[in-house]
Amino acid sequence: MTAASQLASPTKPTAMLTARIDRDLLAAFDAVAEGRGGRSALLRTVLQQSLKQVIDAPRIAPRADGAGNRVTLSFTDAELALLDRRAADRGVDRSRWIKALARRHLGLKGNVDDGLRDALAPIRMQLQRIGRNLNQAMKAGNASLMADSGLQIERELRRIADMREEITEQVDALGGALRGDTAYWEVAD
């Protein structure tokens, strides 16, 4: 008995398969499935035929660490649009965002930080550059204090003050992003 024919056995327990596809593709699939027993029947047939074509292909063992529990939620179109927008703002898909949101409220680690990390990376790099420049300016300022130095201390101190302002702006931006991340997860009572 082949693996494909084992799948077709009506006495085998069944499992659910979920796929996200474009609405137009789903409409076309539904049109074909209408005369062939519906979505599930057509999808089973397509899967069985596909497996027959790759029956001798090497197999990869499924991951053992995946979460197996599923929760189904229903949202209005407006809520779904907002979920999609918020997820996109964070650089993740809708499911990952909802999962991270739930984990955050449960006190577990949420992996939505990808977008935040991407936004903060340039700020961090800029602060590092400013810090290096500030160190150079401080060395120059200290050197100008020497009696035989031809450097002008006022100019170097102005550079240091300008860099300090820029660092303050960057630190404020970084703090706002981090506060925004915390506020982002808060839920109104």
Side-chain angles (χ1 to χ4, degrees), residues 26-43:
L26 181 59
F29 186 82
D30 284 344
V32 173
E34 184 64 34
R36 292 174 176 80
R39 283 181 185 172
S40 292
L42 180 59
L43 187 55

Side-chain angles (χ1 to χ4, degrees), residues 61-125:
R63 288 184 279 165
D65 62 347
N69 299 316
R70 177 177 297 273
V71 174
T72 303
L73 303 169
S74 298
F75 295 101
T76 65
D77 289 341
E79 290 168 334
L80 207 55
L82 185 57
L83 284 171
D84 288 339
R85 185 172 57 87
R86 295 265 173 97
D89 289 347
R90 293 303 227 186
V92 297
D93 64 29
R94 178 191 314 152
S95 295
R96 283 183 56 202
W97 187 81
I98 293 171
K99 187 175 182 179
L101 181 63
R103 285 181 168 178
R104 177 67 179 189
H105 281 283
L106 293 173
L108 303 173
K109 180 182 177 190
N111 292 327
V112 175
D113 296 336
D114 295 344
L116 181 61
R117 275 192 300 264
D118 292 345
L120 295 180
I123 295 172
R124 184 175 183 270
M125 287 175 51

Side-chain angles (χ1 to χ4, degrees), residues 57-63:
R59 303 284 188 244
I60 299 172
R63 288 184 279 165

Side-chain angles (χ1 to χ4, degrees), residues 6-164:
Q6 288 174 349
L7 291 175
S9 173
T11 60
K12 295 277 184 192
T14 61
M16 175 84 68
L17 172 67
T18 303
R20 287 188 177 85
I21 59 173
D22 182 80
R23 289 179 194 256
D24 294 335
L25 179 59
L26 181 59
F29 186 82
D30 284 344
V32 173
E34 184 64 34
R36 292 174 176 80
R39 283 181 185 172
S40 292
L42 180 59
L43 187 55
R44 276 192 301 275
T45 302
V46 168
L47 288 171
Q48 289 167 352
Q49 290 172 356
S50 297
L51 284 176
K52 285 179 187 177
Q53 294 177 7
V54 294
I55 197 69
D56 294 327
R59 303 284 188 244
I60 299 172
R63 288 184 279 165
D65 62 347
N69 299 316
R70 177 177 297 273
V71 174
T72 303
L73 303 169
S74 298
F75 295 101
T76 65
D77 289 341
E79 290 168 334
L80 207 55
L82 185 57
L83 284 171
D84 288 339
R85 185 172 57 87
R86 295 265 173 97
D89 289 347
R90 293 303 227 186
V92 297
D93 64 29
R94 178 191 314 152
S95 295
R96 283 183 56 202
W97 187 81
I98 293 171
K99 187 175 182 179
L101 181 63
R103 285 181 168 178
R104 177 67 179 189
H105 281 283
L106 293 173
L108 303 173
K109 180 182 177 190
N111 292 327
V112 175
D113 296 336
D114 295 344
L116 181 61
R117 275 192 300 264
D118 292 345
L120 295 180
I123 295 172
R124 184 175 183 270
M125 287 175 51
Q126 186 65 19
L127 285 172
Q128 288 173 325
R129 286 186 196 118
I130 293 168
R132 283 190 292 271
N133 289 338
L134 186 57
N135 286 339
Q136 291 172 359
M138 291 300 292
K139 285 180 184 178
N142 288 333
S144 71
L145 293 176
M146 301 172 123
D148 59 346
S149 174
L151 295 175
Q152 295 178 354
I153 187 71
E154 293 83 16
R155 183 185 61 154
E156 295 304 322
L157 292 176
R158 183 70 235 153
R159 280 185 60 206
I160 292 171
D162 290 344
M163 284 184 251
R164 184 176 289 161

Side-chain angles (χ1 to χ4, degrees), residues 123 127 165-179:
I123 295 172
L127 285 172
E165 276 183 45
E166 192 172 345
I167 287 175
T168 300
E169 290 172 12
Q170 295 296 326
V171 168
D172 288 347
L174 183 61
L178 294 174
R179 280 190 307 277

